[in-house]
Amino acid sequence: MARGTAEVTTRVMVTGRMRRVSRLLVTLAALLAASSGAAGEPRTVLAAIGVDDAHLQADFWVAALESPDEVLMPRAAIDAQNADLVARDPSLYDLAALPETLSRAQVLAWIERLAEPPAGPLFDAAGEPVPAARLEALVRNRALDAIPARQPARFGLVVVRAALRTFPTDLRVFRSPDDHDIDRFQESALFPGTPVLLAHESADGRWWFVVSPRYAAWIEKRHVAEGARRDVLAWREKTPFRIITGAQVETVFTPERPAVSRVVLDMGVRVPVLADWPAGEPVNGQHPYTAHVIELPVRGADGGLELAPALLPRIADSAAEYLPLTRANIVRQAFKFLGERYGWGHSYGGRDCSGFVSEVYRSMGVLLPRNTSAQSVSPALDKRLFTPADSRAERLAAVRSLDVGHLVYIPGHVMMVVGTVDGEPWVIHDTTGFGHVTPEGRLVRVRLNGVSITPLMPLAANETDLYIDRMTSIVRVVPAAPKEAPPPL
């Protein structure tokens, strides 16, 4: 499962290509040193190469756009593209189209497709080797032999932000004893209100294997409320609604109903609004005039679905509709995550590189597959694929045509274009870090571990390859306009 980059960087002999990068960095550093701030002092050059204070502001990039507020795709076109994505992309699931009865073969295929039993050494959070017997036990906890030949399809709504796991376990495992970030059993996360198919139960009774619209994996049962298929699928279609447009917001604290108190809602989450709530009637002990009265799913004592009112503060970053898909909104939404800690598989309450770009576009109503491996090749997205046969000149030509919002993929990583500086593309991405060549000609590793803004051209994957040499795909979320046919002779 590819989500981020983690190359090891060492001192090496610098190739001719690296020398060109070094010259670029020297020139860029000189330009930055020559420019000054409002007080006449040189701008601060920050840890990431070539980045100064101005680059950390969304307004810097928006001001440079020729048509920042141009609507790139109308809502009807976005809806059509989303429907096409669900219909054609094998990484997505149309829950409404699933049969009323599930076969053993189908459920088994979903579970086994997710992962094979662990192979090779794994280490726990304390850096100790995980005994083979423990790994075997968690594999058995999948209870594959207990999958019935046929079973009715059951559904539920996720009630809090919750982890999706490779196996039915909360054991965190790592590839090396000194790694504490990349939990190899962490797949993704689901947000409040996500509909899921409840496909199978673990042997210990603590976990569901669920199929969500963008992912199939294990989730703790306590985070899901089971309900009737019709009710579950209809909840997300209710109107009116609010779209979360901030990186994260919380519902209002309430001791009267803990299940809807300080519920975390991430960018792009859609929640129904109870517009007919009586104006003077309190919500969980509080007058609602300073908030939106929204409806959230709650897990009852029996595990069943209940719907409860909650308060979303009016000052919280939300909107009554999806944001228009414009270059300015792409930039501003992306910058709301700037500095957030990198979270492999949405761990640490954050997100990873593919989750980051997904949530930015989701606030504008645009659907993307979950992982880089699926996003970069999706049959329903406009893209330019690269192979080893593509020359450096061809890759450079493609890079020169990048526009704001375009997604650039290398193996295991995605970057979003935010603009150019002196004709060179810059990207915002959720990254562990990258390599680059210093002006002295030394290849070094910059550890960022968060959502960061960087130039694209100097980024180096290793001692011989720049990121542009590793590009596998450029995805244009907004399809390129078809070229006009030449006039007849």
Side-chain angles (χ1 to χ4, degrees), residues 97-323:
L98 293 175
E100 296 284 346
T101 302
L102 303 177
S103 68
R104 171 181 168 79
Q106 176 63 84
V107 174
L108 187 63
W110 282 329
I111 297 174
E112 292 187 330
R113 185 185 307 148
L114 177 62
E116 297 180 352
L122 292 172
F123 301 85
D124 63 19
E128 298 297 325
V130 180
R134 188 172 186 188
L135 295 175
E136 292 167 0
L138 64 88
V139 171
R140 289 195 303 272
N141 196 33
R142 298 182 300 171
L144 301 186
D145 292 342
I147 301 173
R150 301 185 70 78
Q151 61 175 305
R154 301 162 65 185
F155 289 81
L157 286 176
V158 177
V159 297
V160 295
R161 176 178 168 136
L164 284 178
R165 305 289 289 170
T166 309
F167 297 98
T169 178
D170 52 14
L171 172 68
R172 302 179 71 230
V173 298
F174 307 90
R175 293 266 175 84
S176 65
D178 56 352
D179 179 15
H180 304 289
D181 280 330
I182 311 299
D183 176 3
R184 299 298 170 172
F185 287 169
Q186 179 73 14
E187 292 288 334
S188 188
L190 296 181
F191 303 119
T194 303
V196 291
L197 170 76
L198 309 177
H200 185 50
E201 185 179 4
S202 63
D204 62 9
R206 287 184 52 210
W207 300 80
W208 285 118
F209 186 88
V210 298
V211 179
S212 74
R214 297 199 307 156
Y215 219 87
W218 296 92
I219 189 172
E220 286 190 83
K221 293 176 70 174
R222 63 191 177 98
H223 299 320
V224 181
E226 183 175 359
R229 177 185 187 133
R230 180 183 59 187
D231 295 339
V232 166
L233 298 181
W235 185 84
R236 289 189 9 138
E237 304 304 319
K238 288 185 176 183
T239 57
F241 57 85
R242 301 295 295 182
I243 299 298
I244 304 305
T245 49
Q248 283 185 335
V249 303
E250 289 184 347
T251 60
V252 172
F253 168 78
T254 168
E256 290 84 357
R257 196 70 190 264
V260 297
S261 177
R262 302 190 69 179
V263 176
V264 175
L265 304 173
D266 288 77
M267 183 179 286
V269 168
R270 169 177 167 157
V271 290
V273 172
L274 299 177
D276 57 353
W277 191 266
E281 183 175 335
V283 176
N284 304 322
Q286 182 174 341
H287 198 289
Y289 84 105
T290 58
H292 302 286
V293 183
I294 63 173
E295 183 181 71
L296 291 179
V298 172
R299 179 181 168 89
D302 62 352
L305 174 63
E306 299 176 7
L307 300 175
L311 293 179
L312 178 66
R314 288 186 179 271
I315 63 170
D317 197 344
S318 71
E321 298 286 346
Y322 287 105
L323 297 177

Side-chain angles (χ1 to χ4, degrees), residues 347-376:
S347 55
Y348 303 137
R351 61 219 82 238
D352 50 38
C353 62
S354 53
F356 162 65
V357 300
S358 293
E359 271 125 67
V360 169
Y361 272 111
R362 187 175 61 177
S363 68
M364 289 163 274
V366 178
L367 179 65
L368 291 177
R370 170 60 184 89
N371 286 343
T372 57
S373 56
Q375 290 176 2
S376 63

Side-chain angles (χ1 to χ4, degrees), residues 368-438:
L368 291 177
R370 170 60 184 89
N371 286 343
T372 57
S373 56
Q375 290 176 2
S376 63
V377 299
S378 176
L381 296 176
D382 189 11
K383 57 193 172 297
R384 161 68 158 98
L385 299 177
F386 296 90
T387 72
D390 288 296
S391 68
R392 181 171 177 77
E394 291 171 317
R395 291 170 179 270
L396 284 172
V399 166
R400 296 286 184 250
S401 68
L402 289 171
D403 194 5
V404 172
H406 286 180
L407 303 177
V408 180
Y409 294 84
I410 63 173
H413 191 51
V414 58
M415 301 161 281
M416 176 183 286
V417 177
V418 292
T420 61
V421 173
D422 298 326
E424 299 294 339
W426 282 55
V427 291
I428 188 169
H429 48 142
D430 203 346
T431 179
T432 57
F434 54 83
H436 77 96
V437 178
T438 68

